[in-house]
Amino acid sequence: MKKDTYYARREKVYMAGTIYPDIRVGMQRVNLTPTVEIVEGEKRIIPHTPIYIYDTSGPFTDPTIKVDIKKGIDHIRQPWIAQRKASGKPVGQMACARAGIITPEMEYVSIRENMNCQELGIDTHITPEFVRQEIAEGRAVLPANINHPESEPMIIGRNFLVKINANIGNSATSSGIEEEVEKAVWSCRWGGDTLMDLSTGANIHETREWILRNSPVPVGTVPIYQALEKVDGKVEALTWEIYRDTLVEQCEQGVDYFTIHAGIRLKNVHLADKRLCGIVSRGGSIMSKWCIAHQRESFLYEHFDEICDILAKYDVAVSLGDGLRPGCIADANDEAQFAELDTLGELVLRAWEKNVQAFVEGPGHVPLHKIQENMERQIKMCHNAPFYTLGPLVTDIAPGYDHITSAIGAAQIGWLGTAMLCYVTPKEHLGLPGKEDVRTGVITYKIAAHAADLAKGHPGAQVRDNALSQARFDFRWRDQFHLSLDPELAEQYFREGKHTDGEYCTMCGPNFCAMRLSHDIRHNR
Amino acid sequence: MKKDTYYARREKVYMAGTIYPDIRVGMQRVNLTPTVEIVEGEKRIIPHTPIYIYDTSGPFTDPTIKVDIKKGIDHIRQPWIAQRKASGKPVGQMACARAGIITPEMEYVSIRENMNCQELGIDTHITPEFVRQEIAEGRAVLPANINHPESEPMIIGRNFLVKINANIGNSATSSGIEEEVEKAVWSCRWGGDTLMDLSTGANIHETREWILRNSPVPVGTVPIYQALEKVDGKVEALTWEIYRDTLVEQCEQGVDYFTIHAGIRLKNVHLADKRLCGIVSRGGSIMSKWCIAHQRESFLYEHFDEICDILAKYDVAVSLGDGLRPGCIADANDEAQFAELDTLGELVLRAWEKNVQAFVEGPGHVPLHKIQENMERQIKMCHNAPFYTLGPLVTDIAPGYDHITSAIGAAQIGWLGTAMLCYVTPKEHLGLPGKEDVRTGVITYKIAAHAADLAKGHPGAQVRDNALSQARFDFRWRDQFHLSLDPELAEQYFREGKHTDGEYCTMCGPNFCAMRLSHDIRHNR
């Protein structure tokens, strides 16, 4: 039995909308190798259905488009935004959803979420109307600043595919703009669903501009970082006016969501004193210090309604920061953490009053047996707004491997209902991630998110596993690589072995290959 | 505030027994850096309690012992074995346990399992008597071939620390003996609790001899591999006599546990036909092919009582192989898998009748939501015998990262009660692991096992997390590294950043370090 391996390839294809036929949703199609069998002297070619893969890489993987990062990528959402303005429709996705309007963005995400379902006849509940309802009720967020028309619509909610975020950005002691843009594109290539630019230090505005103009995924920031740079790092000198101006500046630029640590309350700051690791959120520690220095509520809490008025104008979503998230196993699920979560729940309702889409950030460091309580409390206290967690890391003892300690927790909490997982790279706690760390972090979190999708029974999620395993069992190695999360690394490892033909790898060698024996058993029955 | 970083170090220390004062249990002691604070012009030195770490590395990390791998390591168990023989006591741990005898091996493991408890006044249920009871009732296994006196006693059971196994061994197309011994020592150094030598191809006996004579941890094998080599890879030519002779040969050499695929029943083999991936266990595919070729029950099943008679004589434990474990998500928890599990449960009882310690192997590939059923069925059908799983991998789509896909499942099933986790390296499905893959696999599984220990509330498990997090919060970097699972890698990542002083890393830079701000808040209150 000889198999032909020449057909296997991945290609970029586009699917059109039904309500909006001008929508073109990019995806990767894996064209599989037909199995060629010789049965009683006759050649039989058995084709395999192509497999579609959700694609976050935008134009960077389209060979027909040449991207000039100095000019930025195409503005795919521009006509939709312009049309809404021209026809007097609301600007924001939540406002539209509540008014019963299905936007092109909503149809776009419904197509993306249903990968392989149509082709394989798999039932799916994710219609454009379902997307609209989920957004209207606040259970899902579609981050889409009207000034970031480059971004391809995606959705964050527990009834959709689990999403992952990659943090990039330099610090005062590290990398430059080109390097950050390269990391941004690299993250999208490997499957990052959103990007957070966490730059501090010099050139914050310019770094963000380059990232936004080249980002096919929504971009988030923590505006307090730039505000703090404006007062030369002096926390006490921060004011509402400086913060407000920073918000407007970033809204104008096109940031799609802001992490805002408005849940830090003066009355709760002391709760972190009892902790082993105090406050480990940068934004949380800044706002706590401010509250204590001035002995008053933070300007983020006091001016939250005004913040929402600004965000609504641009359709920027708010990611309610967990400034008191636990930074070690000992501090998990403590009073400080849960007191803040209650405040975040209040803020969700205030955001929704202004048609601002909201989601809620979560820990951090949590042992396995305390993860479920986090999810249940968040759903209850935050009125079903999506949860967005950093891992959580399930142990503290493995610096250098915290992508793994956190992927264990991330898969678990994703399964239980967390909508987006913020990646952790191997460098966490030790240094800023480089380009290869971004790849490792993104792939690791794609694993956690996909494991959660399988466990939740997302329509069509298992199609890719089944196709890959079928290819593995058939020794269609190239198909297996193309279907995997990191085709290049898989192929590299395979080649490194002293492999001698297409039928086995060095793991077992020829006589001990269970899959070969398994074929023998079936054929000789 | 200046901290003194010169005292931090790890050192090998030994703890003596109480019942058996000649026992010397090796462990790593991390001597932490005292915190030096200047308070109102006065220098205050605040010491920290040393932390003990469970140590599987044997004499290889004792600077006072020079190991010559050509001579092998010391026979620490020799006097205990000789004493049992001389006094007419039973040879095996289970027989002793059932006779009410606490062996030196049992006290040894009770000391190892209680790391830091005595020093910190933590309650523990793990007394030598508790160890005896668990072995007597079959809930735990202490693998200890009387001909492997080099091994340091350890215990596998769900009321103890979760253990990890590292697979090494060459295939016909790969590495040589020296390389395998190097991998064995390397695995022990990073924390592997047992080793399985899965060599096939030439030099099986000699490779195993070198590994055994240098292994401070129990060694397991799959004897059918060597038996198959003896008949030149022709499955049909395997006989009971050839297999029996191979068993005796390996018992004599000192193998501590055998994987035996006696659960393959003629009536169940066809159940794998419906599967996407058939049979993926090497031993399972060999025995299935044999059953079909001869149209009879396997000699392993038919001669299981004789097998147990041989094993009892040397106190070799049996690891009941899951020849029909699922090899992909689609095949998880299917009829083939669970039918075999029922047979394994019968075999556990037959082993116990002969005073043979038994544990049961499990999958494989299982999505997160189907893991719990595996554990519950195993406990029920296998009468509380320990479970020993390979991962499970929670998705099929990430070849090259299967240490991670499987660590997610391993942590979950370990938490639910699995006693030992067989590691998976990044090379799984693609090639044989090299030395660095062994390190990655072992550390990844130490993470999964420790996450499970924390979630199960093992006495003292959280001591190390707390000590490391306290060091992190205090910027005692060296302490943090010494307490971590891989001190070298953590330090390397830290140094790679453009780090400028002892108080922060490149992740946040000086102005945005939450921990520094958190200290400011506490000190300026």
Side-chain angles (χ1 to χ4, degrees):
Chain A
M1 194 166 75
K2 172 76 186 144
K3 272 117 183 182
D4 193 332
T5 56
Y6 298 110
Y7 301 114
R9 67 181 192 280
R10 266 199 200 200
E11 62 178 337
K12 184 99 178 185
V13 296
Y14 295 90
M15 193 171 287
T18 303
I19 308 173
Y20 297 98
D22 63 323
I23 288 176
R24 290 173 76 238
V25 182
M27 50 191 74
Q28 297 284 329
R29 183 169 64 201
V30 182
N31 299 307
L32 300 171
T33 317
T35 301
V36 181
E37 285 187 349
I38 310 293
V39 180
E40 293 170 11
E42 209 170 310
K43 190 173 172 182
R44 275 171 36 185
I45 296 177
I46 305 158
H48 301 285
T49 311
I51 302 296
Y52 294 89
I53 296 178
Y54 191 110
D55 185 8
T56 55
S57 62
F60 295 98
T61 50
D62 187 333
T64 69
I65 300 172
K66 195 168 153 39
V67 178
D68 177 354
I69 64 161
K70 285 174 190 158
K71 290 183 182 159
I73 59 175
D74 280 353
H75 293 193
I76 71 154
R77 289 173 54 236
Q78 197 59 58
W80 313 336
I81 298 165
Q83 208 273 332
R84 275 199 290 279
K85 279 186 186 162
S87 64
K89 284 181 188 162
V91 70
Q93 300 294 325
M94 189 173 213
C96 284
R98 285 170 162 182
I101 300 165
I102 294 172
T103 63
E105 286 88 342
M106 296 173 198
E107 187 180 24
Y108 193 108
V109 302
S110 77
I111 295 169
R112 281 188 123 171
E113 293 280 328
N114 288 324
M115 219 53 69
N116 300 302
C117 288
Q118 200 185 319
E119 295 73 15
L120 297 172
I122 297 167
D123 280 342
T124 173
H125 59 281
I126 305 174
T127 59
E129 169 58 17
F130 179 79
V131 173
R132 185 197 64 73
Q133 283 171 25
E134 291 288 294
I135 295 170
E137 288 167 29
R139 271 196 303 271
V141 167
L142 196 163
N145 186 326
I146 55 169
N147 291 334
H148 186 209
E150 297 91 344
S151 81
E152 299 180 349
M154 56 78 72
I155 197 158
I156 300 163
R158 74 173 191 269
N159 294 318
F160 298 96
L161 289 164
V162 175
K163 303 304 185 298
I164 66 168
N165 170 68
N167 289 338
I168 56 165
N170 51 17
S171 73
T173 58
S174 74
S175 56
I177 293 174
E178 301 73 18
E179 200 178 321
E180 293 312 311
V181 174
E182 204 183 340
K183 281 189 215 164
V185 173
W186 191 240
S187 165
C188 296
R189 173 178 165 187
W190 294 110
D193 292 291
T194 76
L195 279 169
M196 288 196 80
D197 173 16
L198 303 186
S199 292
T200 57
N203 306 319
I204 288 188
H205 185 98
E206 200 186 348
T207 304
R208 191 168 54 232
E209 184 66 21
W210 281 70
I211 290 172
L212 279 164
R213 300 290 75 83
N214 287 288
S215 178
V217 304
V219 174
T221 63
V222 188
I224 199 80
Y225 297 171
Q226 187 180 10
L228 188 62
E229 294 290 351
K230 290 180 180 176
V231 292
D232 298 323
K234 295 194 183 68
V235 169
E236 299 82 348
L238 282 166
T239 64
W240 160 241
E241 289 72 23
I242 289 166
Y243 186 80
R244 182 195 60 204
D245 293 348
T246 308
L247 275 192
V248 172
E249 175 187 338
Q250 297 199 13
C251 284
E252 285 288 335
Q253 257 188 317
V255 174
D256 299 284
Y257 64 91
F258 293 137
T259 293
I260 300 183
H261 297 91
I264 298 285
R265 300 289 309 273
L266 182 61
K267 64 177 180 182
N268 292 334
V269 170
H270 75 280
L271 295 174
D273 288 352
K274 305 175 208 167
R275 285 181 159 178
L276 189 62
C277 277
I279 302 173
V280 298
S281 150
R282 296 195 284 190
S285 63
I286 293 165
M287 292 319 298
S288 296
K289 190 171 177 183
W290 192 94
C291 288
I292 289 166
H294 294 280
Q295 280 300 308
R296 60 178 291 185
E297 290 293 353
S298 87
F299 52 83
L300 298 179
Y301 183 79
E302 291 194 330
H303 292 271
F304 192 71
D305 292 335
E306 289 163 82
I307 289 173
C308 290
D309 285 332
I310 297 168
L311 269 54
K313 203 174 142 195
Y314 300 87
D315 202 16
V316 173
V318 62
S319 182
L320 293 160
D322 56 334
L324 298 178
R325 70 168 174 268
C328 64
I329 292 297
D331 295 339
N333 296 20
D334 73 348
E335 199 186 346
Q337 183 196 337
F338 287 145
E340 185 184 34
L341 187 66
D342 295 349
T343 308
L344 300 183
E346 293 168 36
L347 297 174
V348 164
L349 297 180
R350 283 166 67 184
W352 287 349
E353 273 173 35
K354 305 278 187 179
N355 278 330
V356 170
Q357 303 185 87
F359 47 109
V360 174
E361 296 186 10
H365 292 240
V366 184
L368 273 171
H369 64 298
K370 292 189 176 177
I371 287 178
Q372 189 169 353
E373 187 185 3
N374 275 274
M375 191 69 235
E376 287 172 355
R377 272 196 185 236
Q378 190 275 339
I379 289 176
K380 188 174 161 210
M381 302 312 299
C382 297
H383 320 285
N384 289 303
F387 205 23
Y388 167 31
T389 59
L390 179 67
L393 288 72
V394 295
T395 167
D396 303 339
I397 68 170
Y401 297 83
D402 280 331
H403 58 309
I404 299 174
T405 64
S406 66
I408 292 169
Q412 181 79 6
I413 207 162
W415 170 27
L416 296 173
T418 291
M420 186 155 77
L421 306 169
C422 182
Y423 86 172
V424 172
T425 79
K427 294 277 167 64
E428 184 77 15
H429 299 113
L430 300 168
L432 266 185
K435 194 176 159 185
E436 278 306 306
D437 301 310
V438 170
R439 175 182 178 178
T440 303
V442 168
I443 300 281
T444 302
Y445 270 68
K446 288 296 286 181
I447 290 168
H450 186 71
D453 290 335
L454 287 177
K456 292 200 300 181
H458 185 91
Q462 205 183 306
V463 168
R464 189 171 175 184
D465 294 79
N466 293 357
L468 189 145
S469 290
Q470 183 69 56
R472 181 175 282 159
F473 191 64
D474 289 350
F475 300 103
R476 287 182 279 117
W477 289 98
R478 271 167 217 269
D479 289 2
Q480 190 186 150
F481 301 146
H482 282 301
L483 287 163
S484 70
L485 286 178
D486 188 339
E488 291 167 33
L489 188 75
E491 184 159 1
Q492 179 195 321
Y493 283 173
F494 179 69
R495 302 274 166 232
E496 278 169 16
K498 290 177 196 99
H499 171 257
T500 49
D501 74 17
E503 290 287 310
Y504 59 88
C505 74
T506 52
M507 187 142 194
C508 302
N511 285 334
F512 286 86
C513 175
M515 289 194 171
R516 196 184 59 71
L517 286 170
S518 209
H519 280 279
D520 288 354
I521 291 169
R522 287 193 186 175
H523 292 152
N524 299 326
R525 187 69 67 110
Chain B
M1 193 167 74
K2 171 81 185 140
K3 272 120 184 177
D4 193 330
T5 55
Y6 298 110
Y7 301 115
R9 67 183 192 280
R10 266 199 200 200
E11 63 178 333
K12 184 99 179 185
V13 297
Y14 295 89
M15 193 172 288
T18 304
I19 307 174
Y20 298 98
D22 63 324
I23 288 177
R24 290 175 76 238
V25 182
M27 50 191 74
Q28 297 284 331
R29 183 169 64 201
V30 182
N31 299 307
L32 300 171
T33 317
T35 301
V36 181
E37 285 187 348
I38 309 293
V39 180
E40 293 170 9
E42 207 169 309
K43 190 172 171 182
R44 275 170 37 185
I45 296 176
I46 305 157
H48 301 285
T49 311
I51 301 296
Y52 294 88
I53 296 178
Y54 191 108
D55 186 8
T56 55
S57 62
F60 294 99
T61 50
D62 187 332
T64 69
I65 299 173
K66 195 168 152 42
V67 178
D68 177 354
I69 64 162
K70 285 173 192 159
K71 290 182 182 159
I73 60 175
D74 280 353
H75 294 192
I76 71 153
R77 290 174 53 236
Q78 197 59 57
W80 313 336
I81 298 164
Q83 208 274 332
R84 275 197 291 278
K85 279 186 188 163
S87 63
K89 285 182 187 160
V91 70
Q93 300 294 325
M94 189 173 212
C96 284
R98 285 170 162 181
I101 300 163
I102 295 173
T103 63
E105 286 88 343
M106 295 173 198
E107 187 180 24
Y108 194 108
V109 303
S110 77
I111 295 169
R112 280 187 123 171
E113 294 279 327
N114 289 325
M115 218 53 70
N116 301 302
C117 288
Q118 200 186 317
E119 295 73 15
L120 297 172
I122 297 167
D123 280 342
T124 173
H125 59 281
I126 305 174
T127 60
E129 170 59 16
F130 179 79
V131 173
R132 186 198 64 74
Q133 284 171 26
E134 291 288 294
I135 295 170
E137 289 167 29
R139 272 196 302 270
V141 167
L142 196 164
N145 186 325
I146 55 170
N147 290 336
H148 186 209
E150 296 91 345
S151 81
E152 299 179 349
M154 54 80 71
I155 196 157
I156 301 163
R158 73 172 191 272
N159 295 318
F160 299 95
L161 290 163
V162 175
K163 303 305 186 296
I164 66 168
N165 169 68
N167 289 337
I168 55 165
N170 50 17
S171 73
T173 59
S174 75
S175 56
I177 293 173
E178 301 73 16
E179 201 179 321
E180 292 313 311
V181 174
E182 205 183 340
K183 281 188 214 165
V185 173
W186 191 240
S187 166
C188 297
R189 174 179 163 183
W190 295 111
D193 292 290
T194 76
L195 279 169
M196 287 196 79
D197 174 16
L198 303 185
S199 292
T200 56
N203 306 317
I204 288 189
H205 184 98
E206 200 186 347
T207 303
R208 192 169 51 234
E209 183 65 22
W210 281 69
I211 290 172
L212 278 163
R213 299 292 74 84
N214 286 289
S215 179
V217 303
V219 174
T221 63
V222 188
I224 199 79
Y225 297 170
Q226 188 180 10
L228 188 62
E229 294 290 351
K230 290 180 180 176
V231 293
D232 298 324
K234 293 192 185 71
V235 169
E236 300 82 347
L238 282 166
T239 63
W240 159 241
E241 289 72 22
I242 289 166
Y243 186 81
R244 182 197 57 206
D245 294 348
T246 308
L247 276 191
V248 173
E249 174 187 339
Q250 298 198 12
C251 284
E252 284 288 335
Q253 257 188 316
V255 174
D256 299 283
Y257 64 91
F258 293 137
T259 293
I260 300 183
H261 297 89
I264 298 284
R265 299 290 309 272
L266 183 61
K267 64 176 182 182
N268 291 334
V269 171
H270 74 280
L271 295 174
D273 288 352
K274 305 175 209 166
R275 284 181 160 179
L276 188 63
C277 278
I279 301 172
V280 298
S281 150
R282 297 194 285 190
S285 62
I286 293 164
M287 292 319 299
S288 296
K289 191 173 176 181
W290 191 94
C291 288
I292 289 166
H294 294 279
Q295 280 299 308
R296 60 177 290 184
E297 288 294 355
S298 87
F299 52 83
L300 298 179
Y301 183 78
E302 290 194 331
H303 293 271
F304 192 71
D305 291 336
E306 288 162 81
I307 289 172
C308 290
D309 286 332
I310 296 168
L311 270 54
K313 205 173 141 194
Y314 300 86
D315 201 17
V316 174
V318 62
S319 181
L320 293 159
D322 56 335
L324 298 178
R325 70 167 173 268
C328 64
I329 292 297
D331 295 340
N333 295 21
D334 73 348
E335 200 187 345
Q337 184 195 336
F338 286 145
E340 185 184 34
L341 187 66
D342 294 349
T343 308
L344 300 183
E346 293 168 36
L347 297 173
V348 163
L349 297 180
R350 283 166 67 184
W352 288 349
E353 273 173 34
K354 306 278 186 180
N355 278 332
V356 171
Q357 303 185 87
F359 47 108
V360 174
E361 296 186 12
H365 292 239
V366 184
L368 273 171
H369 63 299
K370 292 189 175 176
I371 287 178
Q372 190 169 353
E373 186 186 5
N374 276 274
M375 192 67 236
E376 287 172 356
R377 272 195 186 238
Q378 191 275 341
I379 289 176
K380 188 175 163 209
M381 301 313 298
C382 298
H383 320 284
N384 290 304
F387 204 24
Y388 167 32
T389 59
L390 178 67
L393 290 72
V394 294
T395 168
D396 304 339
I397 68 169
Y401 297 83
D402 279 332
H403 57 309
I404 299 174
T405 64
S406 66
I408 293 170
Q412 180 79 5
I413 206 161
W415 170 26
L416 295 172
T418 291
M420 186 156 74
L421 306 169
C422 181
Y423 86 172
V424 172
T425 79
K427 293 278 166 64
E428 184 77 16
H429 299 113
L430 300 168
L432 267 184
K435 194 176 159 185
E436 279 306 307
D437 300 311
V438 170
R439 175 181 178 179
T440 304
V442 168
I443 300 282
T444 302
Y445 270 67
K446 288 297 285 180
I447 291 168
H450 185 72
D453 290 334
L454 288 177
K456 292 200 300 181
H458 186 91
Q462 205 183 307
V463 168
R464 189 170 174 185
D465 294 78
N466 292 358
L468 189 145
S469 290
Q470 183 70 54
R472 181 175 282 157
F473 190 65
D474 290 349
F475 301 103
R476 286 182 278 118
W477 289 98
R478 272 166 217 271
D479 289 1
Q480 189 185 151
F481 302 146
H482 283 300
L483 287 163
S484 71
L485 286 178
D486 188 339
E488 292 168 32
L489 188 75
E491 183 158 3
Q492 179 194 322
Y493 284 174
F494 179 70
R495 302 275 166 231
E496 277 170 17
K498 292 179 193 95
H499 171 257
T500 50
D501 75 18
E503 290 287 309
Y504 59 88
C505 74
T506 53
M507 187 143 195
C508 303
N511 284 334
F512 286 87
C513 175
M515 288 193 171
R516 195 184 59 73
L517 285 171
S518 210
H519 280 278
D520 288 354
I521 291 170
R522 286 193 187 175
H523 291 152
N524 298 325
R525 187 71 65 111

